[in-house]
Amino acid sequence: MTLVGRIVSRRLLSMGKQRRVSTRPTVLFALLLSASNAIAASPQIEGQWRQGELLRGHVEPGSQVRFKGQRVNVGGDGLFIIGLDRDEPAKVELEVVEPSGSAHTSTHAVATRQYKIQRIDGLPQDKVNAPPELSARIEREAALVRKARFRDTPRTDFLQGFIWPCTGRISGVYGSQRILNGESKQPHYGVDVAAPTGTPVKAPAGGVVTLAEPDLYYTGGTLIIDHGHGLASAFLHLSKLRAKVGDVVEQGQVVASSGATGRATGPHLDWRISWLDARIDPQRLVPAMPSTSSKKESKKAKP
C-alpha cells in the first residue's frame, strides 16, 4: 500500500470509530487530497543525515526553510542546501513554511562518526599555544576569515559537483584532533593532500574569490571561494596566490600554488569546505583520490 493509502486508511479508521464514514467518491477524494498535501509539505532531501555531510533539499517555490532555527537560503526553484557539522547533535529540526502559511517541522536523527584523536605530551609550550603578543593579530585574521566564508549568496556553482583541487597522498583527514600536553586543540576541518611547493591548486567548483591573504599566522597563504548558498572552499598554507578578491573563477581554473606557509610542518594543501558556520568533509563531495603518477613527488611532500 502507498504512503497516501496508509494515511487515508488511518483517517478512515479514526473517523469510523466516531461515526459511520461515507465512501462516496467526493469524500474519498477530499481525504486523498488532504493526505497528499500533508506529504507535499515535507521537503525532499538528498544525502545522508550524518556528521560532515552536505544535503540538498527541494521545497515548493516561495517556501521558507529554517534549520535548527536558522533561516536557510531557498532558490527561486525551491532548491536549498544544508551542511552538517563535525559535531552535529544527534537530532536536528527542519522547519518548512509554505507560501500558504502552513508549517511543517521534521526531526532527523544524525549519525555520528568516529574521529582520529592523537595525544602528544612533553612538547615545548610555544608548540602548543601561540605567543600572547600575537593574540591581537590572530583575532583580527580570524575575523577576516569568518567574514569571507560566512556569505550566503544566490550563486549555485556547487550544482556542477566538485573535483580535487590537486592530487597526491592524503596525509590528513577531516575531523581528526590532537591533544597537546593534555590540552585539546581545534579539530582538523579539512583534508590534507601532500604536494610539493608550487603544485597548481585548482578551483574544485566555480565561484567568487572572497579572501586572498598571503600571510596569515596559522594558515599562511589563504584563499577562499564562495560557491553559493553559504558553501565555501578554503585553501591553506599556499606559497602563491593566483587569484584576487572579486575574481569569478571556473571549475578547474588554477587559483594558487601549494606550499608550507603559516603553521605547517611540510608542503601540502589543506582544503576545507564550510556551509556558513558548519564544517563539511571535503572528501564526501569528490570521487576517490586518483592514484598519483609519481611516487617521487609523494615522497618529497610530507606535511
Side-chain angles (χ1 to χ4, degrees):
M1 183 182 292
T2 65
L3 179 57
V4 171
R6 291 196 298 270
I7 293 175
V8 171
S9 296
R10 287 197 296 267
R11 292 190 179 184
L12 286 170
L13 181 61
S14 176
M15 292 172 64
K17 292 179 179 179
Q18 301 175 27
R19 66 182 184 277
R20 186 175 180 180
V21 179
S22 171
T23 56
R24 288 178 299 175
T26 53
V27 175
L28 289 177
F29 177 76
L31 287 171
L32 286 169
L33 181 61
S34 175
S36 297
N37 288 339
I39 294 171
S42 301
Q44 300 173 12
I45 304 292
E46 298 177 20
Q48 299 180 29
W49 289 93
R50 185 169 178 259
Q51 291 173 337
E53 297 284 342
L54 180 68
L55 306 178
R56 184 186 300 183
H58 191 272
V59 291
E60 180 183 347
S63 298
Q64 296 181 16
V65 177
R66 289 184 179 277
F67 179 60
K68 299 189 300 184
Q70 180 178 348
R71 184 78 173 265
V72 175
N73 190 341
V74 179
D77 58 354
L79 172 73
F80 67 94
I81 57 175
I82 290 173
L84 302 181
D85 191 60
R86 173 192 185 271
D87 301 309
E88 198 68 54
K91 289 185 179 180
V92 292
E93 286 192 346
L94 183 67
E95 180 185 4
V96 176
V97 180
E98 295 181 313
S100 63
S102 61
H104 171 82
T105 300
S106 55
T107 301
H108 302 270
V110 178
T112 59
R113 293 174 55 175
Q114 297 297 317
Y115 301 110
K116 180 180 178 181
I117 307 297
Q118 183 181 21
R119 296 177 181 272
I120 303 176
D121 296 317
L123 293 173
Q125 191 58 32
D126 62 351
K127 299 296 184 183
V128 178
N129 294 306
E133 60 269 21
L134 294 178
S135 60
R137 173 190 173 183
I138 292 171
E139 290 178 9
R140 182 175 64 253
E141 293 176 351
L144 283 175
V145 172
R146 283 194 300 271
K147 182 179 179 180
R149 72 179 181 83
F150 205 92
R151 290 165 56 94
D152 196 359
T153 64
R155 300 187 66 90
T156 56
D157 300 275
F158 57 86
L159 289 177
Q160 66 188 140
F162 288 78
I163 62 173
W164 283 99
C166 71
T167 58
R169 175 176 56 86
I170 295 178
S171 56
V173 294
Y174 168 89
S176 59
Q177 187 176 25
R178 288 180 173 178
I179 301 176
L180 306 180
N181 293 353
E183 181 178 339
S184 296
K185 308 307 291 184
Q186 186 182 72
H188 185 246
Y189 291 119
V191 56
D192 290 338
V193 180
T197 295
T199 299
V201 175
K202 302 176 182 179
V208 177
V209 177
T210 59
L211 182 79
E213 290 289 333
D215 184 29
L216 299 184
Y217 176 75
Y218 280 116
T219 58
T222 305
L223 187 137
I224 295 178
I225 298 176
D226 167 28
H227 302 301
H229 282 234
L231 196 66
S233 280
F235 311 95
L236 284 50
H237 309 300
L238 304 170
S239 62
K240 185 176 182 180
L241 306 177
R242 302 191 181 188
K244 63 183 184 299
V245 172
D247 284 355
V248 178
V249 298
E250 298 180 356
Q251 185 180 67
Q253 179 178 334
V254 175
V255 294
S257 300
S258 63
T261 56
R263 301 266 286 194
T265 57
H268 70 290
L269 173 67
D270 184 347
W271 174 34
R272 306 185 178 192
I273 290 187
S274 61
W275 177 72
L276 302 177
D277 58 348
R279 306 302 189 117
I280 309 303
D281 185 352
Q283 284 190 260
R284 300 297 299 167
L285 302 182
V286 289
M289 173 68 76
S291 58
T292 55
S293 58
S294 172
K295 293 182 179 180
K296 185 177 180 180
E297 283 189 1
S298 181
K299 290 180 180 180
K300 287 170 60 180
K302 294 184 178 181

